[in-house]
Amino acid sequence: MTRKPKLGQNFLVDDSACVAIADAFGDASARTVIEIGPGHGAITALLAARCRRLIAIEIDPTLAAELRFRFRAAPQVEIHQSDILEVDLATLLAPGETAYIVGNLPYYITAPILLRLFSAGSRALLARAVLMVQREVADRLAASPGCRDYGLLSATAQMNARVETLFTLPPAAFSPPPEVFSTVLRLEFAPRFAELGVDPVGFDAFLRACFAQKRKTLANNLRAADHSAEALRAAWPTEIPRLARAESLALEPLAALYRALPIRAL
Ligand code: SAM
């Protein structure tokens, strides 16, 4: 098995884990599944037999060629040799279609991939995701407000999806073994912008400002983002303590503060 370490190539060799990942989607027979980084195709082969269309995006030209050969008799499988961070998911899908997305993510770009999936251009195109990430990243995605791991990644994920931790695998489940444990998450995309009465693009930017510096209070982070002290005082909801940090707050009070602030570009 050849390997390019810089591309995060730790291949999953635990067959029952591959099956558990495919099973985590439930019935995918009517769905398009997009796979991020199929590698040698351990998960691809299982899902290809269970879905309507499988689009696998692999950056490594050698692996992409190997996969094209392996799936040459499977017309429902499309192999794209591309960088997932450069792919516009909308161009892969029919108008109005929502897809499932799967990936044992390359660890060196986990955060950029996640932020891209939660971005305005992608989140409306996705229904469900089953993703393997480093255990510590999974802990951040699933953390509750006030917990040590809660931050911008948690808030962004939970604004867009219900996050569920499925199972954790040791390094020995991969070849070569990584130095970390890995956790599989299921995300049910269900953006909360309408429910919380906030506009998606403005609230995305507001969250980035709220969590800009971990050591600062929410008020100081917002002052640094050019909200005046007067505007903050006038808008401040009673349920938010004056010295609160964004890390301690649920999405509801943050949305209440955002709604009460004058509309402005951050
Ligand atoms: N899915 C396979 C498995 O579970 O065995 C491989 C997972 S391996 C952790 C990550 C895969 O992502 C590798 O095949 C790697 O070449 C690919 N990859 C790395 N960077 C990528 C990128 N920017 N876009 C698409 N694929 C990428």
Side-chain angles (χ1 to χ4, degrees), residues 7-13 35-43 57-60 63 82-85 103-109 113 132 174:
L7 293 179
Q9 294 182 347
N10 300 96
F11 300 106
L12 185 56
V13 292
E35 183 175 8
I36 302 170
H40 292 289
I43 302 166
I57 299 165
E58 173 56 59
I59 199 170
D60 183 334
L63 289 174
S82 310
D83 179 345
I84 186 62
L85 297 177
N104 168 11
L105 299 186
Y107 291 160
Y108 76 108
I109 46 167
I113 292 174
M132 173 125 55
F174 304 85

Side-chain angles (χ1 to χ4, degrees), residues 73-254:
Q76 78 280 24
V77 179
E78 296 164 36
I79 310 297
H80 292 238
Q81 194 237 308
S82 310
D83 179 345
I84 186 62
L85 297 177
E86 304 285 324
V87 174
D88 178 357
L89 298 183
T91 62
L92 303 175
L93 303 173
E97 183 182 12
T98 56
Y100 286 176
I101 194 154
V102 67
N104 168 11
L105 299 186
Y107 291 160
Y108 76 108
I109 46 167
T110 299
I113 292 174
L114 291 170
L115 291 175
R116 201 171 166 86
L117 298 184
F118 297 133
S119 71
S122 302
R123 56 190 167 214
L125 304 170
L126 300 174
R128 184 172 296 165
V130 178
L131 302 174
M132 173 125 55
V133 297
Q134 188 175 329
R135 181 170 57 185
E136 291 73 15
V137 176
D139 290 345
R140 286 165 58 199
L141 283 162
S144 302
C147 295
R148 186 176 49 96
D149 293 321
Y150 191 82
L152 179 61
L153 191 60
S154 335
T156 306
Q158 293 166 31
M159 197 60 206
N160 289 288
R162 288 189 294 277
V163 181
E164 195 185 342
T165 300
L166 297 184
F167 56 90
T168 293
L169 293 171
F174 304 85
S175 173
E179 286 171 1
V180 294
F181 279 63
S182 303
T183 295
V184 175
L185 296 168
R186 177 166 50 209
L187 277 62
E188 293 289 337
F189 280 78
R192 299 188 63 195
F193 300 98
E195 171 209 337
L196 294 178
V198 295
D199 68 287
V201 174
F203 195 66
D204 281 347
F206 178 73
L207 283 181
R208 285 195 296 277
C210 291
F211 289 90
Q213 289 207 37
K214 215 175 164 58
R215 288 174 201 285
K216 283 192 176 179
T217 63
L218 173 62
N220 282 343
N221 271 329
L222 291 174
R223 289 291 307 279
D226 280 349
H227 286 279
S228 71
E230 298 72 46
L232 289 173
R233 206 174 302 117
W236 206 260
T238 49
E239 72 259 39
I240 303 184
R242 283 277 162 194
L243 296 178
R245 287 181 164 72
E247 287 77 7
S248 69
L249 297 171
L251 290 164
E252 288 81 358
L254 288 177

